[in-house]
Amino acid sequence: MTYNEKLIYYKNVVDNKLEEYFTFESKKQDRLFEAMKYSLMAGGKRIRPILTLEFASLCGGSVEAALPAACAIEMIHTFSLIHDDLPCMDNDDMRRGRKSCHRAFDEATALLAGDALELYPFEVLTDSVKYGVSPENTVKMVRLLAEYSGHMGMTGGQQIDTQFEGESIGEENLLEMYKLKTSRLLQASACMGCLSAGADDSVIQKAYEYGEKVGLAFQITDDILDVCGNSEILGKPVGSDKENNKETYVSLVGTDKAREKAKKLSDEALAVIGDFSDSEFLKELTVNLLKRNK
């Protein structure tokens, strides 16, 4: 398959599996189901589940065995977006080119939809055993996703981001916050792909290092797009960081130096995966994440 064919293939299998996981019988809480699915199936790049499936493939595993983990990571990512958009956080009205969850439904429903999408992934992850993942590695994936999405990972990063609004925390602390806020879920994506395939610790360590580097590059590129991007292409407002008085890598060092840093981190991520055989798709994906316009 060409790069684009494989990208479309991965996205389609993830979307199909998510549809399967979100086929619920009608209940009194149908509005909650609708809000969860509204945000989850709103499009998006599916970068995190694609990383899970590709690392599984690079480690000799199957797409089928990695799909529960791939779907779980996308649910966690979506919960974070719903909560990010709430009035108590970034108060954004648009997400992925349409109304954010709390605007399409209401604030209380959006809050609960995010809560439900934070918990459902751990139920989904237990399906991995049915597809041949060992119980031991399934438990490792549950532990990894909980840690990297919780107070020692993404949620902790969000707290730091919120806590220091309007203050300068400096480059070193900002990058540490980005590691928690953005890199952790990308690390979880890559490492869970390896675990689903039964990879050894040395391979998982490379996935961990890759996720950290590419996550930092991804977040700095997001900062650049918030200044230089097109809101219609992005599907969300630009300039929200400045409006919310948030320090970003761009506000700290300027756009040119931010681009240089993102390129350096992306090159370091490519170096980490240099030992993987048949890694052309992953290399092209890494380069394209740096060049993206949304």
Side-chain angles (χ1 to χ4, degrees):
M1 282 190 279
T2 66
Y3 170 79
N4 284 329
E5 287 171 344
K6 196 168 190 180
L7 198 68
I8 292 167
Y9 165 71
Y10 277 156
K11 190 175 184 302
N12 285 342
V13 294
V14 169
D15 285 346
N16 290 339
K17 193 66 176 179
L18 287 171
E19 284 282 358
E20 183 182 318
Y21 278 125
F22 277 79
T23 303
F24 300 118
E25 291 183 15
S26 181
K27 302 285 184 182
K28 287 186 171 60
Q29 66 269 37
D30 277 351
R31 184 172 173 82
L32 175 63
F33 301 159
E34 290 168 14
M36 293 165 70
K37 192 171 181 178
Y38 172 86
S39 292
L40 188 68
M41 306 307 292
K45 297 178 283 292
R46 305 297 195 216
I47 297 304
R48 291 155 191 83
I50 286 170
L51 282 177
T52 301
L53 298 182
E54 180 61 10
F55 270 94
S57 177
L58 290 173
C59 295
S62 70
V63 166
E64 185 180 48
L67 265 175
C71 291
I73 198 76
E74 188 66 11
M75 292 177 203
I76 289 285
H77 176 55
T78 302
F79 120 68
S80 74
L81 299 182
I82 294 173
H83 282 190
D84 277 357
D85 291 339
L86 289 172
C88 64
M89 297 289 282
D90 291 345
N91 195 24
D92 282 332
D93 293 337
M94 298 294 292
R95 172 66 66 178
R96 291 173 172 170
R98 60 180 184 172
K99 289 180 180 179
S100 50
C101 191
H102 70 278
R103 292 299 183 194
F105 293 84
D106 56 77
E107 189 174 346
T109 300
L111 179 66
L112 293 170
D115 291 345
L117 283 167
E118 183 181 11
L119 297 169
Y120 190 29
F122 299 99
E123 178 183 339
V124 166
L125 263 181
T126 63
D127 281 349
S128 303
V129 177
K130 294 192 299 188
Y131 298 107
V133 180
S134 71
E136 180 184 4
N137 279 0
T138 299
V139 170
K140 285 181 179 179
M141 288 194 291
V142 169
R143 171 66 184 261
L144 184 73
L145 187 58
E147 180 181 346
Y148 285 12
S149 60
H151 59 284
M152 296 301 290
M154 178 191 66
T155 306
Q158 283 294 106
Q159 170 60 34
I160 297 169
D161 193 18
T162 302
Q163 186 174 330
F164 288 95
E165 270 186 23
E167 297 181 30
S168 178
I169 62 173
E171 181 178 357
E172 184 179 347
N173 290 329
L174 186 69
L175 290 176
E176 282 299 317
M177 184 262 284
Y178 284 180
K179 286 179 185 178
L180 297 179
K181 178 182 173 182
T182 304
S183 289
R184 283 293 182 262
L185 281 197
L186 291 165
Q187 289 173 305
S189 303
C191 292
M192 287 198 301
C194 296
L195 284 165
S196 75
D200 62 36
D201 289 345
S202 63
V203 175
I204 295 168
Q205 179 62 29
K206 286 189 176 295
Y208 177 90
E209 292 170 10
Y210 170 85
E212 179 176 297
K213 301 290 186 184
V214 82
L216 288 171
F218 190 95
Q219 183 59 56
I220 291 171
T221 301
D222 258 8
D223 292 349
I224 295 167
L225 289 172
D226 191 68
V227 174
C228 306
N230 182 307
S231 60
E232 290 186 8
I233 295 173
L234 285 168
K236 60 182 180 180
V238 297
S240 60
D241 289 332
K242 184 176 181 180
E243 185 178 321
N244 291 325
N245 204 21
K246 284 186 178 181
E247 184 169 75
T248 69
Y249 205 78
V250 171
S251 69
L252 202 62
V253 305
T255 304
D256 289 342
K257 287 188 176 179
R259 290 189 197 279
E260 290 173 13
K261 183 67 171 178
K263 175 67 163 59
K264 180 175 182 292
L265 287 161
S266 185
D267 287 344
E268 289 172 357
L270 289 169
V272 169
I273 57 173
D275 292 338
F276 282 96
S277 61
D278 196 25
S279 59
E280 289 309 309
F281 172 83
L282 185 57
K283 290 175 181 175
E284 191 165 350
L285 177 65
T286 305
V287 171
N288 286 339
L289 289 177
L290 187 70
K291 295 178 178 178
R292 74 189 196 279
N293 60 4
K294 61 179 180 178

